[in-house]
Amino acid sequence: MAKYQTIEAAVRSEFGKGSARRARVAGQIPAVVYGVDVASNLHVTIDHRTFAALVRQEGVNAVLELDIEGQKQLTMIKHIDQNVLTFNIDHLDLLAIKRGEKVEVDVPVIVEGEPAPGTMWVQDADTIKVEADVLSIPEEFTVSIEGLELGAQITAADIKLEGDTTLVEDPETLIVNIVLPAVEEEETEEDEAAEEAAATE
């Protein structure tokens, strides 16, 4: 991801639950910018609709440039606090970054394909941790399980990394395991007899 969006942000001077609630009602997200390039934690507000669209397009590891009343600051998403009922974003933590810097991020792993007939796949890890350039963070990794036989496994070490991205996750971390489907126990003759007796009572 070599490109990034610029989003306007306003410095937030009021704090507390009441202030945050008023900001959300006005369609703004209260946010905090952390990082070495920021003298102290910077409190801002960002337009909810604009930011939500960015996350839909770029994912939760998105890099964005904040235009804070004329001052530009490159950041990446650190944490999104989402309302469990409305799914609106209630609060946002951003990390101040600079070009050329490397960061550790958790990248989603997507499984595609179907294993051998008579088997099923179980995904043990949904993400893996990697180190990447802040402007080249992978959106996701895809692993194929097409035709894999019973007992086959895919670990973090099996995932192909592009460019100068390096694996931070334990290489032996299990990502996908090919197993037998769960089989329900068949009713025994005794079970059937007991059911019939109960039905006639």
Side-chain angles (χ1 to χ4, degrees):
M1 178 170 54
K3 297 181 180 180
Y4 49 84
Q5 294 186 31
T6 299
I7 294 180
E8 292 186 1
V11 175
R12 184 159 54 106
S13 56
E14 294 183 341
F15 305 97
K17 291 183 178 179
S19 172
R21 189 180 301 111
R22 287 192 294 272
R24 288 192 287 269
V25 170
Q28 301 292 309
I29 304 173
V32 180
V33 182
Y34 302 88
V36 294
D37 290 340
V38 179
S40 60
N41 295 340
L42 184 61
H43 298 262
V44 299
T45 55
I46 300 172
D47 181 72
H48 187 285
R49 183 175 298 178
T50 302
F51 181 79
L54 179 142
V55 172
R56 285 195 299 270
Q57 296 170 10
E58 306 291 345
V60 295
N61 287 324
V63 170
L64 62 148
E65 182 180 63
L66 294 182
D67 183 344
I68 309 170
E69 301 175 356
Q71 298 294 319
K72 302 293 181 65
Q73 175 62 58
L74 196 62
T75 69
M76 68 176 293
I77 299 171
K78 182 178 181 182
H79 178 71
I80 296 175
D81 185 7
Q82 194 170 30
N83 189 295
V84 295
L85 298 177
T86 65
F87 297 106
N88 289 332
I89 300 171
D90 284 346
H91 191 270
L92 181 64
D93 290 344
L94 298 171
L95 181 65
I97 56 176
K98 55 186 178 182
R99 294 166 183 81
E101 183 179 357
K102 284 197 169 187
V103 292
E104 291 186 3
V105 292
D106 292 318
V107 179
V109 178
I110 307 300
V111 178
E112 64 178 15
E114 293 294 334
T119 66
M120 63 177 288
W121 58 275
V122 176
Q123 186 167 1
D124 282 61
D126 296 324
T127 64
I128 61 168
K129 188 179 293 293
V130 299
E131 184 180 68
D133 185 282
V134 292
L135 298 184
S136 301
I137 298 173
E139 291 185 22
E140 63 186 28
F141 297 115
T142 302
V143 295
S144 175
I145 59 169
E146 189 64 37
L148 291 185
E149 301 287 344
L150 177 65
Q153 295 182 333
I154 296 176
T155 65
D158 296 321
I159 295 179
K160 183 179 180 182
L161 305 181
E162 302 288 346
D164 60 355
T165 300
T166 56
L167 186 66
V168 176
E169 195 77 39
D170 183 341
E172 295 183 2
T173 297
L174 182 62
I175 306 298
V176 180
N177 196 16
I178 308 302
V179 299
L180 286 174
V183 179
E184 294 184 3
E185 292 185 6
E186 296 183 1
E187 289 187 343
T188 64
E189 292 182 1
E190 290 80 2
D191 292 332
E192 293 176 356
E195 289 180 3
E196 290 177 1
T200 57
E201 288 181 356

